[in-house]
């Protein structure tokens, strides 16, 4: 493959050089990860300190999206408000309950546009040939993955970049997205409820309503992600990533999503990328130039089935603050590998329990 080097910072357009510093807004779905963590911490703290909370099981829960974080977004902090304890906002293992491990890094691979459309067409064909069965009434969607985040941990006046240990994550969700359960280190023992009255874009019943025609689907994606992220193209790419990762795409939709992604400007190919389970594959990616990070979807090299995703810091953002400058190029901000995606008969039931 003929590699085309990605633009260096000095080659990026400078038309926005006089604009105020860029706040690292997260694309669609990213804020929900922080809501989940914050609400879980609030729930745990309340259970320990407020007996009346145990008498109110109907308190709202945030959806269960998870995504990379460097500094908690203002929207997530506003959600928790004065209820959040200091440890929850620090982002260290004392607040999240997730142990830290070695810093997650990788060699920054060179990307190319050569062959990108063909790779996505082959991935689309592979998805078309292996559709997931539709859930029957009463069934739950079960997704198991290996995942970890990297973030800036601040203790007193000292800040450092740390990564969570790679860990197992189990999610159950009803097809309508209103009932669910999450088991992951850092949450209360036995897991937390994901029940919500909020309609989720990535719930199975919502995905069924999306058009299968790639052009119509892409128009819908742009509409869904309008005003999110660092520009409409990056937001659309991130939204598609959300819809193919921790979700259960109905027959025909996954194939259409890959064809739609091929139409987004700036989408590139990486010859080698590694998911959180250590599996090597090829990747479809897009560089968010304002944030200096690259979102990568990783596919099996032979079967072209989706393996997982990761977000890698490629450049230090031009208007980065002091904490962001601690994140060096090659740092893996988020990594996830889907290890199981299936249907089960009941909430909290693992596939191995089925007869």
């Amino acid at each position: 493959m003929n590699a085309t080097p990605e633009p260096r910072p000095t080659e990026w357009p400078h038309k926005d050089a006089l604009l105020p510093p860029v706040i690292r807004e997260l694309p669609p779905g990213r804020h929900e990860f922080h809501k989940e963590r914050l609400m879980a911490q609030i729930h745990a703290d309340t259970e320990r300190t407020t007996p009346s909370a145990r008498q109110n099981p109907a308190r709202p829960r945030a959806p269960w999206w998870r995504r990379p974080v460097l500094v908690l977004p203002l929207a997530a902090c506003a959600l928790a408000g004065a209820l959040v304890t200091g440890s929850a906002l620090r982002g260290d293992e004392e607040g999240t309950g997730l142990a830290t491990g070695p810093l997650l890094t990788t060699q920054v691979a060179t990307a190319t546009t050569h062959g990108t459309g063909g790779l996505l067409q082959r991935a689309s064909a592979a998805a078309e040939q292996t559709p997931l069965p539709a859930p029957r009434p009463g069934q739950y969607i079960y997704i198991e993955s290996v995942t970890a985040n990297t973030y800036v941990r601040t203790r007193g006046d000292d800040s450092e970049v740390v990564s969570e240990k790679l860990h197992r994550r189990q999610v159950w969700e009803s097809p309508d997205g209103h009932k669910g359960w999450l088991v992951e280190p850092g949450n209360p023992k036995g897991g937390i409820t994901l029940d919500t009255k909020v309609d989720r874009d990535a719930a199975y019943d919502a995905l069924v309503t999306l058009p299968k025609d790639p052009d119509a689907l892409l128009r819908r994606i742009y509409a869904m992600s309008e005003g999110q992220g660092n520009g409409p193209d990056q937001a659309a790419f991130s939204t598609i990533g959300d819809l193919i990762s921790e979700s259960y795409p109905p027959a025909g939709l996954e194939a259409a999503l890959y064809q739609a992604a091929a139409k987004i400007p700036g989408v590139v190919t990486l010859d080698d990328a590694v998911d959180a389970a250590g599996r090597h594959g090829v990747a479809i990616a897009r560089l968010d130039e304002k944030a200096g990070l690259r979102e990568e979807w990783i596919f099996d090299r032979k079967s072209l089935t989706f393996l997982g995703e990761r977000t890698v810091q490629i450049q230090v953002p031009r208007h980065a603050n002091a904490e962001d400058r601690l994140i060096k190029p090659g740092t893996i901000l988020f990594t996830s590998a889907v290890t199981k995606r299936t249907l089960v008969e009941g909430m909290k039931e693992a596939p191995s329990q089925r007869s």
Side-chain angles (χ1 to χ4, degrees), residues 26-39 61-67 73 76 79 198 200:
L26 300 179
R30 267 67 171 164
H31 289 116
E32 300 305 326
F33 167 68
H34 308 297
K35 292 180 186 179
E36 170 198 309
R37 285 285 176 83
L38 289 168
M39 293 305 291
R61 294 290 189 275
W64 42 261
W65 285 106
R66 79 273 184 266
R67 283 301 190 199
L79 169 75
V198 177
R200 295 184 51 255

Side-chain angles (χ1 to χ4, degrees), residues 307-330:
L307 298 178
E309 58 181 329
R310 69 180 184 180
T311 302
V312 180
Q313 192 73 45
I314 304 300
Q315 306 285 354
V316 177
R318 192 184 315 153
H319 299 297
N321 60 31
E323 284 197 345
D324 283 349
R325 291 187 183 280
L326 296 175
I327 308 290
K328 303 304 181 183

Side-chain angles (χ1 to χ4, degrees), residues 3-243:
T4 301
E6 294 177 357
R8 297 178 181 178
T10 55
E11 298 171 346
W12 292 347
H14 290 276
K15 61 183 179 180
D16 58 347
L18 298 180
L19 293 177
V22 174
I23 297 174
R24 298 188 68 167
E25 272 300 322
L26 300 179
R30 267 67 171 164
H31 289 116
E32 300 305 326
F33 167 68
H34 308 297
K35 292 180 186 179
E36 170 198 309
R37 285 285 176 83
L38 289 168
M39 293 305 291
Q41 182 67 31
I42 293 168
H43 178 64
D45 290 347
T46 305
E47 286 284 346
R48 289 193 297 266
T49 61
T50 310
S52 60
R54 289 190 290 271
Q55 301 169 12
N56 184 20
R59 64 189 303 273
R61 294 290 189 275
W64 42 261
W65 285 106
R66 79 273 184 266
R67 283 301 190 199
V69 55
L70 301 183
V71 180
L72 287 179
L74 294 178
C77 296
L79 169 75
L83 294 177
V84 181
T85 64
S87 63
L89 292 176
R90 278 203 310 271
D92 60 17
E93 69 269 22
E94 295 173 358
T96 66
L98 286 167
T100 56
L103 186 64
L104 297 172
T105 61
T106 185
Q107 292 290 327
V108 176
T110 302
T112 177
T113 57
H114 179 71
T116 300
L119 178 59
L120 281 166
Q121 287 297 327
R122 296 197 302 275
S124 175
E128 194 74 56
Q129 293 170 7
T130 56
L132 296 170
R136 300 190 308 272
Q139 286 189 313
Y140 284 83
I141 294 161
Y142 173 84
I143 300 175
E144 185 174 321
S145 60
V146 178
T147 187
N149 283 280
T150 297
Y151 55 91
V152 175
R153 178 175 63 189
T154 299
R155 288 173 169 170
D157 295 330
D158 297 326
S159 296
E160 62 177 332
V161 181
V162 296
S163 296
E164 298 167 351
K165 286 184 178 178
L166 292 167
H167 57 273
R168 183 189 190 197
R169 176 182 170 91
Q170 297 169 281
V171 170
W172 290 260
E173 187 185 38
S174 59
D176 63 10
H178 292 163
K179 294 183 178 298
W181 193 259
L182 167 68
V183 174
E184 184 178 27
N187 288 326
K189 185 177 180 180
I192 61 172
T193 180
L194 301 176
D195 290 2
T196 177
K197 295 181 180 179
V198 177
D199 292 331
R200 295 184 51 255
D201 289 338
Y204 181 84
D205 287 357
L207 294 178
V208 168
T209 68
L210 294 178
K212 306 300 191 299
D213 174 76
D215 291 315
L217 178 59
L218 188 58
R219 288 193 295 271
R220 179 76 69 85
I221 294 295
Y222 273 97
M224 289 168 59
S225 58
E226 184 177 2
Q228 302 285 345
N230 288 324
D233 295 333
Q234 188 65 36
F237 185 82
S238 298
T239 296
I240 293 177
D242 288 341
L243 299 183

